[in-house]
């Protein structure tokens, strides 16, 4: 089998109710670069890249496409190393790796389709047929009702059956952040897990001070408390707090995670299969984390393709620890309306009662709906 073409589709949808987080960016659209890889045997694979879609497309079309055409999809690791070395001089992290991730995911999809097996079978098998999803939401929408809207939204997720929720913090007022967290915890009760995500908006002292104040509210993890470049700072925050500290959605490749994991700068690493180097590289990151006693709970954001790839990856991750009552890795299920996630697949991945079934169809386990692809395609 040989690759005959690599096609990028830039998709975009309007956000009906704009939202923001500590970064201050107002989300008015959702966009994604979808990678379609075609072969001479009529098998097509799909992947997704994290980050600005037009940039991903440009990188793939100008740097990667020609080097992938003519290759055997089953040489996925060979292709990965070739593409990485092609851009090593100027692209060790960031968009070049996100673009490579989309290609890698599509090649794994092709391999699974070719042998009639889901990707999780190709990467070691499924430790579970279902994964627990946690609801990511509680962004900042109505600045006059920040506490009230967070409580109402959290109660909705609890009513849907979610057993874990992740909320945004980082309002520029630690007292308001703390009041908001306390109100959500009281509203959902003690049995639903609650994580907080600061989108790296704090300094080290700020993160430690707020983290200590939040500990009484039984926080599952404190995600991205400080800037992702500051690994020394992460060590300080992690050592200072009793709660788990998480991060890594802005780290790339095994080399980017190496020092973070070896130094235990974080208790939980969160590589994104659409950003950190695809399924091939995230397997290595997860193995390295396991060897150092660090949990791996992948980050997820994007379309149905990225969600499916993440589910396949999580299915193959072992429990931490392998005990009578283990802690299986959870799936991030972002809750803002997103037709690229909810409509792009003919049989979309859905949660029911906070549980997501692992697709057992070939490849990623989903089929892209060409009509929906065309509906949201802008380039």
């Amino acid at each position: 089998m040989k690759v005959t073409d690599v096609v990028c589709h830039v998709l975009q949808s309007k956000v009906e109710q704009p939202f923001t987080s500590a970064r201050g960016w107002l989300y008015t659209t959702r966009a994604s670069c979808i990678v379609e890889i075609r072969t001479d045997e009529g098998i097509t694979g799909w992947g997704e890249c994290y980050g600005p879609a037009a940039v991903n497309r440009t990188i793939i079309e100008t740097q990667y496409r020609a080097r992938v055409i003519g290759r055997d999809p089953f040489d996925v690791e060979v292709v990965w190393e070739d593409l990485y070395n092609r851009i090593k001089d100027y692209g060790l992290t960031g968009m070049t790796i996100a673009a490579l991730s989309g290609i890698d995911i599509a090649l794994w999809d092709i391999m699974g389709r070719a042998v009639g097996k889901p990707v999780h079978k190709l990467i070691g098998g499924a430790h579970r047929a279902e994964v627990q999803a946690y609801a990511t939401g509680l962004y900042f929408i109505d600045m006059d009702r920040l506490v009230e809207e967070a409580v109402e939204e959290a109660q909705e997720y609890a009513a849907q059956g979610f057993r874990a929720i992740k909320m945004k913090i980082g309002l520029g007022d630690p007292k308001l952040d703390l009041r908001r967290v306390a109100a959500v915890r009281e509203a959902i009760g003690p049995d639903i897990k609650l994580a907080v995500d600061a989108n790296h908006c704090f300094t080290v002292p700020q993160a430690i001070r707020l983290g200590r104040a939040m500990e009484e509210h039984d926080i599952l993890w404190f995600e991205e408390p400080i800037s992702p470049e500051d690994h020394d700072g992460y060590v300080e925050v992690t050592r200072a707090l009793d709660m788990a500290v998480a991060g890594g959605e802005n780290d790339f490749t095994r080399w980017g995670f190496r020092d973070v994991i070896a130094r235990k700068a974080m208790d939980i690493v969160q590589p994104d299969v659409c950003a950190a180097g695809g399924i091939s590289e995230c397997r290595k990151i997860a193995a390295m984390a396991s060897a150092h006693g660090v949990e791996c709970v992948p980050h997820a954001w994007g379309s149905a393709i990225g969600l499916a790839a993440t589910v396949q990856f999580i299915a193959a991750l072992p429990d931490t620890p392998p005990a009578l009552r283990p802690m299986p890795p959870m799936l991030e299920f972002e809750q803002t309306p997103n037709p690229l996630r909810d409509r792009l697949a003919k049989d979309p991945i859905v949660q029911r009662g906070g549980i997501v079934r692992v697709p057992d169809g070939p490849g990623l386990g989903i089929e892209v709906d060409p009509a929906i692809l065309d509906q949201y395609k802008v380039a």
Side-chain angles (χ1 to χ4, degrees):
M1 186 190 302
K2 301 295 181 185
V3 172
T4 57
D5 204 358
V6 179
V7 180
C8 292
H9 307 275
V10 174
L11 309 185
Q12 182 173 292
S13 66
K14 185 177 180 180
V15 173
E16 294 180 2
Q17 187 177 46
F19 58 93
T20 189
S21 65
R23 296 301 307 281
W25 297 343
L26 186 65
Y27 288 90
T28 59
T29 59
R30 296 292 291 264
S32 185
C33 177
I34 303 301
V35 181
E36 178 186 4
I37 297 184
R38 302 166 183 169
T39 69
D40 59 359
E41 294 189 10
I43 298 174
T44 296
W46 298 89
E48 181 175 2
C49 312
Y50 180 73
V55 179
N56 280 312
R57 181 188 63 186
T58 299
I59 293 170
I60 290 173
E61 291 179 349
T62 63
Q63 302 300 310
Y64 294 154
R65 179 176 177 270
R67 301 183 75 87
V68 178
I69 291 175
R71 307 299 289 264
D72 183 343
F74 281 84
D75 291 337
V76 61
E77 297 269 6
V78 178
V79 172
W80 197 101
E81 293 292 336
D82 178 66
L83 298 184
Y84 181 74
N85 283 289
R86 171 69 182 85
I87 50 82
K88 181 180 284 188
D89 287 350
Y90 46 82
L92 293 172
T93 65
M95 298 299 303
T96 53
I97 306 303
L100 197 164
S101 301
I103 291 173
D104 182 83
I105 292 168
L107 293 177
W108 280 101
D109 191 26
I110 289 171
M111 288 190 290
R113 293 174 185 274
V115 300
K117 298 288 185 181
V119 166
H120 66 254
K121 288 291 187 184
L122 307 186
I123 60 176
H127 288 271
R128 56 196 64 85
E130 297 178 334
V131 297
Q132 181 180 342
Y134 70 89
T136 288
L138 285 70
Y139 291 86
F140 313 139
I141 300 173
D142 186 345
M143 303 305 287
D144 295 322
R145 298 184 70 251
L146 288 169
V147 175
E148 294 85 354
E149 72 178 4
V151 166
E152 292 163 3
E153 188 176 342
Q155 289 173 328
E156 289 178 10
Y157 299 148
Q160 291 175 30
F162 280 104
R163 306 308 298 166
I165 297 169
K166 186 171 76 180
M167 65 180 292
K168 298 295 182 176
I169 61 173
L171 288 162
D173 180 350
K175 292 181 179 179
L176 180 55
D177 277 325
L178 189 60
R179 185 156 61 90
R180 200 164 176 264
V181 170
V184 169
R185 168 52 76 200
E186 182 179 2
I188 63 177
D191 297 329
I192 295 178
K193 297 179 176 69
L194 178 62
V196 298
D197 183 359
N199 292 110
H200 51 80
C201 76
F202 296 121
T203 64
V204 169
Q206 290 170 339
I208 292 173
R209 189 179 303 114
L210 180 59
R212 286 173 175 164
M214 290 190 297
E215 284 178 343
E216 67 175 282
H217 301 298
D218 190 20
I219 301 302
L220 181 63
W221 70 66
F222 189 175
E223 182 170 329
E224 283 205 307
I226 63 174
S227 183
E229 303 98 332
D230 188 4
H231 293 169
D232 289 335
Y234 267 98
V235 172
E236 290 187 57
V237 175
T238 298
R239 298 293 183 273
L241 299 180
D242 289 336
M243 73 175 71
V245 172
E249 68 183 72
N250 293 307
D251 287 302
F252 304 86
T253 76
R254 74 200 87 155
W255 297 283
F257 279 87
R258 178 185 56 196
D259 292 341
V260 170
I261 291 172
R263 297 177 65 194
K264 292 196 173 182
M266 303 166 187
D267 301 292
I268 302 168
V269 290
Q270 300 172 304
D272 190 314
V273 295
C274 298
I279 293 170
S280 295
E281 199 67 358
C282 284
R283 294 175 69 198
K284 299 177 177 68
I285 294 166
M288 187 162 49
S290 176
H292 288 81
V294 174
E295 288 186 66
C296 181
V297 182
H299 174 263
W301 168 279
S303 80
I305 295 169
L307 185 62
T310 305
V311 172
Q312 294 288 339
F313 176 55
I314 289 177
L317 290 178
D319 294 336
T320 306
L324 178 63
R325 291 177 178 264
M327 294 178 289
M330 292 190 294
L331 169 69
E332 180 168 20
F333 210 110
E334 209 268 335
Q335 292 296 296
T336 57
N338 182 3
L340 305 184
R341 177 194 62 225
D342 299 333
R343 300 184 60 202
L344 185 58
K346 293 180 179 178
D347 186 14
I349 291 175
V350 297
Q351 67 82 21
R352 292 185 174 86
I355 300 296
V356 172
R357 181 185 63 82
V358 177
D360 55 8
L364 297 179
I366 61 170
E367 296 296 333
V368 172
D369 188 331
I372 301 300
L373 188 74
D374 289 340
Q375 178 180 344
Y376 290 99
K377 185 160 60 176
V378 295

